[in-house]
Amino acid sequence: MLIQDENLTDRSPFLKLRRWQWWLLVAINILFLIAGQAAAVLLGRFYYDQGGNSTWMATFVQTAGFPILCIPLIFLHPSQKLETSTSSTYPSIKIVALLYFVLGLLVAGDNMLYSVGLLYLSASTYSLICATQLAFNAVFSYLLNSQKLTALILNSVVILSLSAALIAVNEDSDGPSGVSKGKYLVGFICTLGASALYSLLLSLMQLSFQKVLRKETYNVVLEMQIYTSLVATCVSIAGMFGSGEWKGLQDEMKGFKSGRVSYVLTLVWTAVSWQVCAVGVVGLIFAVSSLFSNVISTLSLAITPLAALLVFHDEMNGVKVIAMLLALCGFCSYIYQNYLDDTKARKSESQSHTDDVIQESHHV
């Protein structure tokens, strides 16, 4: 089993599953994350390319689909809710509400930064910059989740930083038509900031399960996603009305190049895609760790430029190719570290079992 946070994973109810069941669960969450994130990024770029220009609307759809998560929550029968508690004392409603409110505000801010970044960057450039979130997550996991910084992890941090630096200094970096160098720089900074904030969010979520909620059930994970998305959606609506962007939405729909129906469907499927991605992210945090969740998210971001090349015919110059290869190298370095941790954990478990057998034989 891929273990990044031994204190969390050792207590996880997923350890009760058979090995193949656990891997199947992880594989499903990986599929949700990769497919959802790639589709959401491409649809977000399509929204801007077809005439959409509301950053608050783009922020809104990233969390507006949260009611979809109520479906598995409703059908999750109480007897099927795997439940373990590290403490008999559950935090008060006020503490939990405050936690969800703060996380929701951070999610809203992160989504806005992503929306601005995607407005001024091509889908491929945007995805390559987002890959730096793995480097940020290594730092936050070390500071907040007691994650060890091994040589392989540090190697990945350096490689991913170089990948982002190449995109930043590349004079031929492409943005959507009509985007100036100044706006391109704004998009780069916002996307980089969003990647850092996203990594912080993942580590804070894992820390919340450990220190605050102290109740590791899948329905608790879904509730966190639902309530934080509710807060973020309310913030997006307030921002839309406060900025006055809502006044231009009707004209935006009329001017959408592929038609009004396409406008609505684009927003709806973008919202659905982000929630599919969210299920995968939270599921991997719960089943494995925030670091592993971010590793898979980075893999998706390394694949997205290829999809953007096919869908939007984004330019893939030499620098972009090198940056993508560096991102993949960073990802492989993290995966190899996961493999080493897995091997070490299995040896430790085997040794512990052997010691128990020997002790029992001595007693006999």
Side-chain angles (χ1 to χ4, degrees):
M1 185 178 295
L2 299 173
I3 298 178
Q4 289 297 338
D5 188 326
E6 295 179 359
N7 293 331
L8 179 62
T9 310
D10 288 345
R11 300 193 308 267
S12 175
F14 285 120
L15 288 175
K16 298 178 182 179
L17 297 175
R18 294 180 180 179
R19 189 171 183 80
W20 71 268
Q21 292 175 322
W22 184 87
W23 277 109
L24 178 62
L25 182 66
V26 171
I28 291 173
N29 281 303
I30 289 175
L31 178 62
F32 281 171
L33 195 161
I34 292 178
Q37 183 167 258
V41 171
L42 294 178
L43 286 171
R45 184 63 259 167
F46 179 78
Y47 166 75
Y48 287 132
D49 284 348
Q50 295 297 306
N53 55 19
S54 172
T55 52
W56 279 113
M57 176 58 75
T59 302
F60 170 76
V61 295
Q62 291 184 50
T63 53
F66 73 87
I68 295 174
L69 300 180
C70 295
I71 298 175
L73 190 63
I74 293 172
F75 287 99
L76 194 61
H77 192 272
S79 63
Q80 297 175 330
K81 295 176 183 177
L82 300 172
E83 186 169 342
T84 59
S85 179
T86 60
S87 172
S88 59
T89 305
Y90 191 71
S92 66
I93 296 179
K94 290 183 180 180
I95 293 177
V96 175
L98 179 61
L99 172 66
Y100 290 163
F101 179 74
V102 172
L103 290 177
L105 290 179
L106 291 176
V107 169
D110 187 49
N111 291 345
M112 170 52 77
L113 289 174
Y114 275 131
S115 297
V116 175
L118 191 56
L119 174 63
Y120 296 134
L121 301 175
S122 64
S124 57
T125 302
Y126 166 87
S127 298
L128 289 171
I129 297 173
C130 285
T132 57
Q133 67 192 36
L134 195 58
F136 287 118
N137 197 213
V139 176
F140 289 125
S141 293
Y142 172 76
L143 295 175
L144 300 177
N145 307 124
S146 301
Q147 168 66 38
K148 295 179 181 179
L149 287 178
T150 64
L152 286 171
I153 291 179
L154 289 175
N155 178 61
S156 264
V157 170
V158 173
I159 291 176
L160 289 166
S161 299
L162 287 175
S163 176
L166 281 176
I167 296 296
V169 301
N170 181 25
E171 293 183 358
D172 296 327
S173 294
D174 62 317
S177 59
V179 174
S180 64
K181 285 293 182 181
K183 290 182 178 180
Y184 175 87
L185 181 60
V186 171
F188 176 86
I189 294 174
C190 286
T191 306
L192 194 64
S195 299
L197 185 54
Y198 176 76
S199 300
L200 175 61
L201 272 167
L202 289 182
S203 292
L204 288 176
M205 288 173 71
Q206 185 171 342
L207 186 65
S208 299
F209 291 131
Q210 290 177 267
K211 304 296 184 181
V212 181
L213 298 177
R214 298 181 181 181
K215 193 174 183 181
E216 300 169 26
T217 63
Y218 200 72
N219 61 308
V220 170
V221 178
L222 286 174
E223 286 173 0
M224 172 181 279
Q225 184 65 32
I226 289 171
Y227 290 128
T228 54
S229 295
L230 173 61
V231 172
T233 301
C234 291
V235 172
S236 301
I237 293 174
M240 195 182 304
F241 280 91
S243 65
E245 283 190 3
W246 67 276
K247 299 177 181 177
L249 292 181
Q250 188 173 0
D251 292 334
E252 182 177 280
M253 182 187 295
K254 292 178 180 179
F256 204 66
K257 295 178 182 178
S258 52
R260 297 187 180 187
V261 175
S262 177
Y263 177 83
V264 174
L265 290 177
T266 299
L267 295 178
V268 169
W269 282 110
T270 301
V272 172
S273 298
W274 278 121
Q275 292 310 305
V276 170
C277 174
V279 170
V281 168
V282 178
L284 288 177
I285 291 174
F286 188 49
V288 189
S289 73
S290 67
L291 182 59
F292 184 73
S293 177
N294 219 347
V295 168
I296 301 303
S297 181
T298 302
L299 173 62
S300 173
L301 291 168
I303 294 173
T304 302
L306 299 178
L309 179 65
L310 296 174
V311 177
F312 299 116
H313 306 292
D314 283 359
E315 180 185 356
M316 287 294 288
N317 55 36
V319 174
K320 273 191 178 182
V321 172
I322 294 174
M324 185 173 65
L325 292 176
L326 286 173
L328 289 173
C329 287
F331 167 78
C332 291
S333 184
Y334 261 102
I335 286 295
Y336 185 61
Q337 182 63 59
N338 272 296
Y339 168 76
L340 294 178
D341 290 341
D342 182 31
T343 303
K344 181 179 178 181
R346 277 187 287 179
K347 286 183 178 179
S348 177
E349 182 181 353
S350 178
Q351 183 62 42
S352 177
H353 177 70
T354 303
D355 292 342
D356 290 340
V357 172
I358 293 174
Q359 288 180 1
E360 288 179 4
S361 64
H362 285 167
H363 286 306
V364 172

Short mmCIF file of all heavy atoms in Angstrom, two decimals, residues 48 66 85 91 144 148 157 166 171 199 234 246 284 307 328 353:
data_model
loop_
_atom_site.label_atom_id
_atom_site.label_comp_id
_atom_site.label_asym_id
_atom_site.label_seq_id
_atom_site.Cartn_x
_atom_site.Cartn_y
_atom_site.Cartn_z
N TYR A 48 -13.77 30.36 -22.76
CA TYR A 48 -13.12 31.64 -23.09
C TYR A 48 -12.95 31.82 -24.59
O TYR A 48 -13.14 32.92 -25.13
CB TYR A 48 -11.76 31.72 -22.40
CG TYR A 48 -11.82 31.95 -20.90
CD1 TYR A 48 -11.07 31.18 -20.03
CD2 TYR A 48 -12.63 32.94 -20.36
CE1 TYR A 48 -11.11 31.38 -18.65
CE2 TYR A 48 -12.68 33.16 -18.99
CZ TYR A 48 -11.92 32.37 -18.14
OH TYR A 48 -11.97 32.59 -16.79
N PHE A 66 -21.67 20.99 -6.73
CA PHE A 66 -21.54 20.21 -5.49
C PHE A 66 -22.79 19.39 -5.12
O PHE A 66 -22.65 18.35 -4.44
CB PHE A 66 -21.15 21.13 -4.33
CG PHE A 66 -22.24 22.03 -3.83
CD1 PHE A 66 -23.12 21.60 -2.85
CD2 PHE A 66 -22.37 23.32 -4.32
CE1 PHE A 66 -24.12 22.44 -2.38
CE2 PHE A 66 -23.37 24.16 -3.87
CZ PHE A 66 -24.24 23.72 -2.90
N SER A 85 -12.81 6.00 14.74
CA SER A 85 -12.63 7.29 15.40
C SER A 85 -11.39 7.25 16.26
O SER A 85 -11.16 6.31 16.99
CB SER A 85 -13.85 7.63 16.26
OG SER A 85 -13.65 8.86 16.91
N PRO A 91 -15.56 17.05 17.50
CA PRO A 91 -15.55 18.51 17.64
C PRO A 91 -16.95 19.10 17.59
O PRO A 91 -17.86 18.54 16.96
CB PRO A 91 -14.70 18.97 16.46
CG PRO A 91 -14.72 17.84 15.49
CD PRO A 91 -14.81 16.61 16.32
N LEU A 144 3.18 20.54 7.46
CA LEU A 144 1.89 20.31 8.12
C LEU A 144 1.58 18.84 8.38
O LEU A 144 0.85 18.53 9.33
CB LEU A 144 0.76 20.92 7.28
CG LEU A 144 0.84 22.42 7.03
CD1 LEU A 144 -0.30 22.86 6.12
CD2 LEU A 144 0.79 23.19 8.34
N LYS A 148 8.28 13.26 5.10
CA LYS A 148 9.73 13.33 5.01
C LYS A 148 10.15 13.83 3.64
O LYS A 148 9.60 13.43 2.62
CB LYS A 148 10.34 11.95 5.27
CG LYS A 148 10.10 11.43 6.68
CD LYS A 148 10.70 10.05 6.85
CE LYS A 148 10.45 9.51 8.26
NZ LYS A 148 11.01 8.16 8.44
N VAL A 157 11.12 18.33 -6.69
CA VAL A 157 10.86 19.76 -6.45
C VAL A 157 11.72 20.61 -7.38
O VAL A 157 11.24 21.56 -8.01
CB VAL A 157 11.12 20.12 -4.98
CG1 VAL A 157 11.08 21.63 -4.80
CG2 VAL A 157 10.10 19.46 -4.07
N LEU A 166 11.10 27.41 -17.12
CA LEU A 166 11.22 27.40 -18.58
C LEU A 166 10.00 28.06 -19.23
O LEU A 166 10.13 28.83 -20.19
CB LEU A 166 11.36 25.96 -19.08
CG LEU A 166 12.73 25.31 -18.97
CD1 LEU A 166 12.66 23.86 -19.43
CD2 LEU A 166 13.76 26.07 -19.81
N GLU A 171 10.24 33.15 -24.36
CA GLU A 171 9.73 34.32 -25.09
C GLU A 171 8.66 33.94 -26.11
O GLU A 171 7.86 34.76 -26.52
CB GLU A 171 10.88 35.03 -25.81
CG GLU A 171 11.88 35.67 -24.84
CD GLU A 171 12.96 36.43 -25.58
OE1 GLU A 171 12.95 36.42 -26.82
OE2 GLU A 171 13.83 37.04 -24.92
N SER A 199 -2.19 23.28 -3.19
CA SER A 199 -1.37 22.34 -2.42
C SER A 199 -1.57 22.56 -0.93
O SER A 199 -1.64 21.60 -0.16
CB SER A 199 0.10 22.51 -2.79
OG SER A 199 0.32 22.25 -4.15
N CYS A 234 -21.17 30.31 -2.79
CA CYS A 234 -21.79 31.55 -2.28
C CYS A 234 -20.86 32.74 -2.47
O CYS A 234 -21.31 33.84 -2.83
CB CYS A 234 -22.16 31.38 -0.81
SG CYS A 234 -23.51 30.22 -0.50
N TRP A 246 -22.65 40.05 -13.51
CA TRP A 246 -23.92 39.39 -13.81
C TRP A 246 -24.72 40.16 -14.86
O TRP A 246 -25.53 39.57 -15.60
CB TRP A 246 -24.75 39.26 -12.52
CG TRP A 246 -25.21 40.58 -11.95
CD1 TRP A 246 -24.50 41.41 -11.13
CD2 TRP A 246 -26.46 41.22 -12.19
NE1 TRP A 246 -25.23 42.52 -10.83
CE2 TRP A 246 -26.46 42.43 -11.46
CE3 TRP A 246 -27.60 40.88 -12.92
CZ2 TRP A 246 -27.53 43.31 -11.46
CZ3 TRP A 246 -28.67 41.76 -12.93
CH2 TRP A 246 -28.63 42.96 -12.20
N LEU A 284 -8.69 10.05 -2.91
CA LEU A 284 -7.28 9.68 -2.81
C LEU A 284 -6.65 10.23 -1.54
O LEU A 284 -5.78 9.59 -0.95
CB LEU A 284 -6.52 10.18 -4.04
CG LEU A 284 -6.81 9.44 -5.35
CD1 LEU A 284 -6.04 10.07 -6.50
CD2 LEU A 284 -6.46 7.96 -5.23
N ALA A 307 -3.84 16.68 -24.88
CA ALA A 307 -5.26 16.81 -25.25
C ALA A 307 -5.53 18.18 -25.85
O ALA A 307 -6.30 18.31 -26.81
CB ALA A 307 -6.13 16.59 -24.02
N LEU A 328 7.10 15.23 -16.26
CA LEU A 328 6.94 13.77 -16.18
C LEU A 328 8.06 13.13 -15.39
O LEU A 328 7.84 12.17 -14.64
CB LEU A 328 6.88 13.18 -17.60
CG LEU A 328 5.61 13.47 -18.40
CD1 LEU A 328 5.76 12.98 -19.84
CD2 LEU A 328 4.40 12.80 -17.75
N HIS A 353 4.47 -9.45 11.63
CA HIS A 353 3.67 -10.67 11.66
C HIS A 353 4.52 -11.86 12.09
O HIS A 353 4.10 -12.72 12.87
CB HIS A 353 3.06 -10.93 10.28
CG HIS A 353 2.27 -12.20 10.20
ND1 HIS A 353 1.05 -12.36 10.83
CD2 HIS A 353 2.53 -13.38 9.56
CE1 HIS A 353 0.59 -13.57 10.59
NE2 HIS A 353 1.47 -14.21 9.82
#
